[in-house]
Every structure is written in C-alpha cells, then in structure tokens.
C-alpha cells in the first residue's frame, strides 16, 4: 500500500482550498474566490474543521470495538473486555504505551467484528487500572485523549489495528454566539438534571466549570440519555460550535420527554394518592361505625345476600357457587373494580326464582270457562290446554311441560291466547319477542369478562316474572335471524328441549337453572323458516284464519264493547246491527285475523264520540244539563256504514247468475280466508296452442296441462273428436289477474271448464269444486277445506264437489252450514263431470 502524507489525507476528507485566515493551504491548488454567496457558509465550516487537524503523521494502534458505548476525549470510564480479539488488543496496548483506539460498532449484536462493522471516527484512550475478573474477562479503566479519523483498518493479525489521523481541537473563536450557546445549553442541562434520574448533580457542577463549547458538548452528550447513533454523531462532529448546537437540540428533545414523563408520573401518583386516601378514609369510617355501633354497608349487604341465598332454595351446586362468590366479595376491598362486578353477579343469583312457584289451578271446568270467556272458537287449542291440566292433576310433578307452538296468520289471537291460558291455569304470564334477534348472547347471555355483561333474555324475563313456573310466550319464532354473532335458534334448542332444560346454562351465571316447570308457548306465522331440529321439539297447533261467522261473534262479544269503553261511549247509547257487522267484515276488511275489523269498529266509535262531544259543548253553551243516554241514539246499520267508513273497499265472490259453457266455479284459500273464483275457457281456431293467463304459478300451470292431457286421453268417452285438439287454440283465464295464484287444487275446475267448452255442455251455476287432478283422472285431496266451504256458502253455492279423502275434514265445518250445502265426494274425474255439467 502506498503511504500518504497527513496533508493529502486531509485534502481527501475535506477538500482543498485556502483557510479562512489567509494562511497557506495544506496542499497546492488554485486559490478559491471569496464571494459573499450562501454556499460559502458550508465552505467556512469545512475550513474551520480543517484547522482542527494537526500536521502530525498518522498513528497506528490496536482497535478495541465497543458495544453500546461511545467514548469522548477527557472522559474516564470503566470497560469490560471479554472477546478474545479485544483481550489481545488490550494486552498489546499494555505491552507498548498503554494506548488504544476505541471505536463503536454499527451493529451491536455482532460478536466476530470486522472492519466494515465499525465506524470511521473513534477516540484514542489511555489504559489506567486493569482488573482481571474470575470469569475470564478483564475490566480496564480508560481515559479519552483525542478524536481520531480512521484512515485504514488492518485485520491480518489476531486483533484489528488501524491507521488514524489525530484530531486536536483548537480554542474556538470567542464571541457572543459561543457565549449565548453555552448559556442556553447549561440552562437546559440544569433542567434535565433536575428531572432525570440518570443525570447526577455532580455532572451539572462539572459542566458549569467547562468554558469551551467542544468539551462542554462532549460532557453533556456523555451524560444525557440518548441512543448510540446520536452519541457517535456528536463524536464525528469536529467543529465545537456545531457540536454544541447539536447537543442543544438533543437536550431540548430530552427535556420534552422528561416533562411528559413527569406529567404522567404525577397523574399516576395523584391517582394512587387518591385511592390510598379513599382507602384510609373508608377504614376510618369503618372504625367510627364500629365505635358507634353502626354497620358497614358492604357488611350489611353480604349479610343480606347470605340470608337471601339461604331462603332461595338453590340446588347444592348453585348454593356452593353462591357461597364461594360471597366469601370472595367479603375478602375484597370495596373500592376494587372487581367488587362491583362480583356484587352484580351475586345480585342476579339471589334475584332469580330458583324455587318460587305459583300453585296450578287444576279446576278443569273453571279453566274451560275462562278460555271460553276470553276467546271464541279455537276448539283444538282449548282442548289441548284442558288435557294438559287433566294430566297435571293426575300425574302431578311427573308430567313434563309440553312445548306448544301456535302457528297461524297475524291477528288470530296467538299471543292473547297465551295470556288466557296463564289466567286459566292460575300462573303468571311472561312474554319475550324474538323478532329480529340475531345474537346468540340474547338467549345465553354474555360472559362476565365483558364490560356490562348480563344474562340472556330468558333469565332476564324469569327474574322479572318472579316465579319458576310461568306461562312463557316466545313471540315470532319464525322471525329469528342469524349472523356472525351466532345462531339464536340453535341456542333455543336447549331451552325448548324437555330433556335438557332442567339444567339450562347461561354464559353469565355459569350454573344450571331449571326451566322444566315453565310452560313454553311459541308463536309463528309460518313454520318454513324454523329449523327442523327446533321444530322437532315443538308440538305444533295450527290456528287457521277466522271464518266470517267467527269474526261476527268475536266482534259482537269482544271488539264492540272494548272499543266503546276505549272511546268513552255508553253501550246503551251506541249499538251495532248484525248486518252492519257482517258488512264491515265482508266489504271493509280482508284478513285472517280481526285486527283490521277492530280498527274499523274503532273508527266508527271515534266519529260517534266526536258527535257526542260536540253535542255536549252545544248543550253547555246553552246552559242545559247533558241529556241522559238515549237508547239506540246511534244505531249503526248496513245503510249508515258508508257515512262513517266511506265506500266499500273489498268485494267477495258470488255464484254465477246462469249456467254457462266453459265457465266453472272454483274455490281458493289464502291467509285472509277463502273465496270463490270463476275459471274461464275459450276455444279458437288455431294449431293446438295453450294460453294461460291470470298470474298463475308453476304448480297451477302444471294442473292446467294435466287437465288438457286428461281431456285429450278421454276425448272419445266424452264425445269429443281427438282431431279437434290439433285445430284449436285453448285459452284458460283465471280472473283477478292482478293477484298471483298457485296450487294444485284448481285442477278439476280447469278440466271441467275445458270439457264443458269442448262438449258445449254448460256448467251448473250452483256448483263449486276443488281438488287436484292426475293424468289418469284421479281426484287427490287438498288443504284449506273449511275456508273454501265457507266461501262457497257465502257466495250462494248449494253443491260442493270435494275429493273423497277430504270427506273426514267436513267435521270442522259448522253444522248449520253442513246442513245447507250438498257435498259430493268424488274419486274420479268422470264423477265430477256427471255432477257439474248439465245433461245434453
């Protein structure tokens, strides 16, 4: 390697050029112009740094790599040396002049240090005291001498050596800038020394006795808490003023951090002092209460909790858990955050009705009278409840409570029926709406680890009702939802299973609760959305829509008197005629239940109430006493309905006025009840095309296809030329085209109308029919027979054709209607044709 002079190395490091003071440059070269431009500031700094480098020759010494330590000139510090290469470097230094070059590592985690892992600026140190430690390491006390600019590292031997250029600081130029900077740094350092636990007062005293900016910067940088990279940055800064400015910035940042730490510690200490003060005050309060003979509130609560637990009738498992939690509360400070959580848990335990129950009223006749008094019809439901009471009377506690599910359209009285059942049995009534519930925790509750955790709505309702054997209505079971928070329907499986609900586990309580004595009644509009596993646990009782006659009796017995009372009217002053009620049912409502019927009756009562109130005001203005209630003063008749309710809103089907070819009367059923419908068939010259209109569903279209196939296969028996089907277009239309229709029950009606059109035999106007048809002409059973028969009777039909297999369902038809209609049970389509078509 070619050796270089120190002046050449200086020029390589800092560039050539004349010094600021006009002295000769270190290396020859063209003189630079001194122009007053901004970029000259950096040149002046460079020149000022050049003056700090002596013309002494390069020195070569062993290198001691340091971890997380940077040593400055004049700094005395102990070092622990343990690596083999470092120990050999120290031994070499001790054998010569006791001098070393200490350089910081760039990466602190490297053990086998090489030249590229070290910085290029270090410090020359002199080794003082040397102590060999038992574990093989060596402790040395070193003192920094001067900065060194490393020119070249050598790794050929057993330790690293380096050729370095000494950096000797000269006295900085005095002036206001230097003095002001020293004062500011000393002021900040004083504040840091007061706030920091790592800076001693001796360090500040030592800083006060340093007059030069360079040594002051080194002293402060070695004392304050900064990272290794920042310390190395200070070491590599040769200009004293610039170095002190950097230290000033670091001091300001450190002071900001210390201020924030001080504020945080002050807030924490203030909170601790407040808690301790509160604790001492509470202890003093306990002592004062003890001296006065008074009792601590927590002690009183614990004693009350123990008394309630003893009287609650809990099972052994629950009793053990409750006792354990009370013991934990008694041993816990009342100011503890967990104490309030534990207190809430114990309050829930003692508030639940573990053994509190009402005694069942097992008088079956009295229960039957109660059900009859509150509800009209619903014979199947009433019969099931009376059966339950009878078995309860005979079997006692051996009987398991059934899980009933009332399924029916809105407004038929499912929820109010549950209230009547509770009254008939002498039990308390509880209700829970499940519509829109999507979270499993609504049923099972939240675990106590959550803030604000509560038991599920099942146990919340049990706490509210206060007994362990209520009649528990769960409304809208078919409206349950499901999302990422779980499936509430799955959580209900345990609640509604008589084999499991004697040990229902809530996530909040974490102890079993007995639900086996509860009579659960669920309600739903349809069963399709209910999961099959949940449906299997329920005894389904269907509540069909009310017939017109049933609506009339409900209105007469319940709705009219209820609305008269709610609107402040006298029952003797306002009355409803029977025909008026029938007309309201037929022309102003179209529903399965009676909610809209009650609204229409209420609308009439409100208008009458207004007339009565205005008449009272007129009498008061004339100073006349109000007249006594005049019987039948407001009698609502069929003719006066339009005055109160306006024109009729709905119409119902009526029988055809005469026998017609290609027109047959069918019957339909919906959630709003039954109705009649005429099915029309017309034939046109064409190519055998079939047209179906009237918003028919897929099943109803298939029934029409089956009817045509049957007619074509039996064409000769009916006297029809089979070739006609190839020359005719058939159009089947079901009126009320804006209303969607579906189902197979219109099959025989469409086939009858088609055969009538092909044979030109008119269909009897007094005949209505229902039934599904097969390709072989068999008539299959259908549903909703009761509603269909009532609709046919209302329309003036006298003969009703029905499938033979539906004959058993005629028992549901009121006896007076069965007497007025002639029923024709059929098994084959030929029987339908014989009963429905006129003879030629």
């Amino acid at each position: 390697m070619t050796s270089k002079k120190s002046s050449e190395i200086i020029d390589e490091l800092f560039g050539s050029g004349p010094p600021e003071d006009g002295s000769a440059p270190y290396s020859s070269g063209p003189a630079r112009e001194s122009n007053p431009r901004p970029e000259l500031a950096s040149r002046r700094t460079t020149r000022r740094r050049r003056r700090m480098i002596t013309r002494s020759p390069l020195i070569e010494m062993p290198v001691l790599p340091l971890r997380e330590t940077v040593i400055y000139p004049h700094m005395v510090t102990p070092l622990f040396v343990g690596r083999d290469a470092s120990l050999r470097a120290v031994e070499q230094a001790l054998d010569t002049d006791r001098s070393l070059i200490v350089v910081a590592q760039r990466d602190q985690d490297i053990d086998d240090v090489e030249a590229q892992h070290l910085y290029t600026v270090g410090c020359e140190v002199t080794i003082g005291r040397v102590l060999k430690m038992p574990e093989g390491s060596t402790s040395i006390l070193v003192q920094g001498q001067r900065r060194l600019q490393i020119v070249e590292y050598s790794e050929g031997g057993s330790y690293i050596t380096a050729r370095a250029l000494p950096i000797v600081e000269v006295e900085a130029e005095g002036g206001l800038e230097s003095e002001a900077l020293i004062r500011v740094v000393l002021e900040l350092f004083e504040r840091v020394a007061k706030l920091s636990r790592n800076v001693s007062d001796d360090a500040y005293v030592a800083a006060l006795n340093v007059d030069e900016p360079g040594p002051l910067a080194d002293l402060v940088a070695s004392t304050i808490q900064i990272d290794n990279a920042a310390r190395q940055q200070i070491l590599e800064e040769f200009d004293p003023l610039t170095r002190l400015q950097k230290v000033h910035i670091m001091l300001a940042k450190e002071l900001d951090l210390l201020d924030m730490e001080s504020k945080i510690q002050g807030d924490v200490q203030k909170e601790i002092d407040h808690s301790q003060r509160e604790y001492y005050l509470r202890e003093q309060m306990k002592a004062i209460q003890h001296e006065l003979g008074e009792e601590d509130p927590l002690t009183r609560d614990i004693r009350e909790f123990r008394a309630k637990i003893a009287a609650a009738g809990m099972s052994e498992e629950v009793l053990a858990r409750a006792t354990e939690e009370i013991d934990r509360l008694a041993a816990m400070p009342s100011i503890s955050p967990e104490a309030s959580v534990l207190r809430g848990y114990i309050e829930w335990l003692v508030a639940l009705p573990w053994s509190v129950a009402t005694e069942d009223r097992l008088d079956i006749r009295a229960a039957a009278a109660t059900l009859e008094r509150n509800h009209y019809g619903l014979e199947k439901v009433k019969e099931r409840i009376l059966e339950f009471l009878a078995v309860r009377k005979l079997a006692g506690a051996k009987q398991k409570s059934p899980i009933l599910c009332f399924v029916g359209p809105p407004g038929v009285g499912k929820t109010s029926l549950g209230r009547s059942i509770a009254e008939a049995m002498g039990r308390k009534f509880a209700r829970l709406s499940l519509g829109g519930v999507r979270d499993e925790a609504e049923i099972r509750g939240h675990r106590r680890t959550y803030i604000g955790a509560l038991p599920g709505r099942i146990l919340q309702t049990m706490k509210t009702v206060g007994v362990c054997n209520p009649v528990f209505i769960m409304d809208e079971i078919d409206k349950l939802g499901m999302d990422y928070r779980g499936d509430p329907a799955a959580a209900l499986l345990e609640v509604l299973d008589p084999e499991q609900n004697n040990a229902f586990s809530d996530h909040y309580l974490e102890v079993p609760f007995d639900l086996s004595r509860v009579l659960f009644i669920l309600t739903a509009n349809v069963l399709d959305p209910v999961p099959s596993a949940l449906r299997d646990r329920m005894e389904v009782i269907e509540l069909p829509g009310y017939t017109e006659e049933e609506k009339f009796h409900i209105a007469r017995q319940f709705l009219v008197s209820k609305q008269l009372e709610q609107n402040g009217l006298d029952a003797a002053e306002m009355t409803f005629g029977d025909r008026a009620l029938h007309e309201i049912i037929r022309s102003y409502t179209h529903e399965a239940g009676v909610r809209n019927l009650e609204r229409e009756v209420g609308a009439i009562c409100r208008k009458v109430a207004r007339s009565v109130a205005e008449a009272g005001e007129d009498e008061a203005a004339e100073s006349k006493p109000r007249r006594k209630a005049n019987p039948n003063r407001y009698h609502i008749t069929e003719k006066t309905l339009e005055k109160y309710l306006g024109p009729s809103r709905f119409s119902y089907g009526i029988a055809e006025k005469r026998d017609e070819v290609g027109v047959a009367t069918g019957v339909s059923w919906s959630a709003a009840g039954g109705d009649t419908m005429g099915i029309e068939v017309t034939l046109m010259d064409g190519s055998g095309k079939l047209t179906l209109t009237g918003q028919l569903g897929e099943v109803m279209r298939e029934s029409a296809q089956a009817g045509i196939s049957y007619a074509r296969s039996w064409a000769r028996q009916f006297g029809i030329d089979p070739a006609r089907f190839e020359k005719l277009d058939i159009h089947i239309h079901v009126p009320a085209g804006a209303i969607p229709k579906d189902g197979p029950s219109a099959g025989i009606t469409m086939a009858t109308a088609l055969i009538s059109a092909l044979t030109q035999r008119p269909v009897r106007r007094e005949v209505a029919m229902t039934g599904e048809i097969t390709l072989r002409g068999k008539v299959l059973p259908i549903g909703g027979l009761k509603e269909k028969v009532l609709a046919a009777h209302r329309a003036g039909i006298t003969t009703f054709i029905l499938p033979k297999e539906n004959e058993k369902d005629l028992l549901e038809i009121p006896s007076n209607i069965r007497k007025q209609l002639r029923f024709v049970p059929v098994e084959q389509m030929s029987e339908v044709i014989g009963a429905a078509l006129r003879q030629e």
Side-chain angles (χ1 to χ4, degrees), residues 262-303:
S262 178
K263 180 179 181 303
I264 293 173
Q265 290 176 354
D267 294 342
V268 172
Q269 188 63 39
K270 182 178 179 182
E271 185 66 26
I272 293 174
D273 293 344
H274 175 74
S275 300
Q276 290 179 344
R277 180 173 177 272
E278 184 178 352
Y279 173 75
Y280 293 143
L281 290 175
R282 289 185 183 276
E283 291 299 320
Q284 291 177 0
M285 186 183 299
K286 288 181 182 179
I288 294 172
Q289 289 173 345
H290 179 71
E291 291 296 330
L292 295 176
E294 298 179 355
E295 191 175 14
D296 177 49
L298 179 60
T299 305
R300 182 178 63 251
D301 292 344
I302 290 175
R303 190 184 71 254

Side-chain angles (χ1 to χ4, degrees), residues 543-602:
L543 278 68
Y546 291 118
T547 65
E548 181 180 325
E549 193 66 20
E550 288 172 338
K551 290 181 181 179
F552 170 76
H553 286 289
I554 292 171
R556 176 62 69 197
Q557 295 181 23
F558 304 103
L559 303 185
V560 171
S561 58
K562 178 181 177 182
Q563 288 299 319
L564 288 176
E565 181 181 355
Q566 289 183 358
N567 289 280
L569 296 173
D570 195 327
E573 190 173 13
M574 180 182 179
T575 56
F576 282 81
D578 291 349
R579 291 189 176 181
L581 291 176
H582 278 291
E583 183 63 19
I584 294 174
I585 294 168
R586 292 179 177 179
S587 302
Y588 292 92
T589 63
H590 189 70
E591 58 175 341
V594 292
R595 284 200 181 106
N596 285 328
L597 175 59
E598 183 176 5
R599 292 190 187 102
E600 298 300 331
V601 173

Side-chain angles (χ1 to χ4, degrees), residues 590-643:
H590 189 70
E591 58 175 341
V594 292
R595 284 200 181 106
N596 285 328
L597 175 59
E598 183 176 5
R599 292 190 187 102
E600 298 300 331
V601 173
I604 297 174
C605 292
R606 288 194 300 273
K607 295 183 184 301
V608 171
R610 177 183 174 183
S611 300
V612 172
E614 290 177 347
E617 291 175 356
D618 294 340
E619 292 174 0
E622 297 175 4
S623 300
K624 294 181 180 180
R626 182 181 176 181
R627 293 176 294 177
K628 295 182 179 180
N630 181 15
N632 299 330
R633 181 182 177 188
Y634 293 98
H635 180 66
I636 309 302
T637 64
E638 185 180 4
K639 296 181 180 179
T640 59
L641 281 179
E642 188 169 349
K643 170 186 174 183

